[in-house]
Amino acid sequence: RSSSCKAGGCVSFDGVDDYVSGVFSKDVSEFTISGWAYLTDFGNSGSIFSGYSGSTGIVYGRFLSSSRRPNFYTLPTGGSEHELTAPDQVSLNEWHHLAYVYDGAMKRIYVDGVEVAFAPLSQAKFLFDNFEIGRSE
């Protein structure tokens, strides 16, 4: 827990090996991943959330390492890979609210409540049995 967290509390990751993982079984065709991020430097790709079932049904809400641009990666169950990347990077040493939304027809990325990227992805299904917060598998 860091004293500079939003809403009075948070999990603080060191950017090297800290993460939270869990197991659940969920078949979804619509979802939202959202969270707060505070980047202090360039580094490895940073994942806010990853969900997967083996090697398919994969979803990453993350940052790309060298650009600090939010990226929304999906590999639907029985489908093809699809990436959506925001055009602009997020600033360092500031809190940013990020949301990655799939509504069954479109993927969208929001930064601080503003839609910054979107792309069509029709009728994709995702079967998750594992999730991680703060790490990409």
Side-chain angles (χ1 to χ4, degrees), residues 14-46:
D14 66 8
V16 178
D17 57 5
D18 294 346
Y19 66 95
V20 174
S21 64
V23 176
F24 70 97
S25 183
K26 189 71 176 168
D27 188 1
V28 297
S29 57
E30 297 178 354
F31 59 87
T32 298
I33 300 164
S34 68
W36 289 93
Y38 189 92
L39 301 177
T40 58
D41 61 18
F42 290 97
N44 295 329
S45 291

Side-chain angles (χ1 to χ4, degrees), residues 61-124:
R62 63 186 180 185
F63 289 94
L64 297 178
S65 60
S66 61
S67 67
R68 295 191 327 260
R69 295 186 306 156
N71 175 267
F72 190 1
Y73 172 90
T74 52
L75 175 57
T77 304
S80 301
E81 291 180 302
H82 187 271
E83 283 196 72
L84 176 63
T85 302
D88 298 316
Q89 60 185 213
V90 296
S91 56
L92 294 176
N93 303 310
E94 293 181 2
W95 282 104
H96 296 282
H97 185 262
L98 298 146
Y100 302 85
V101 177
Y102 178 62
D103 65 10
M106 297 287 286
K107 288 171 52 171
R108 301 174 192 279
I109 299 174
Y110 294 85
V111 176
D112 298 326
V114 176
E115 184 180 279
V116 296
F118 63 92
L121 179 63
S122 284
Q123 301 175 354

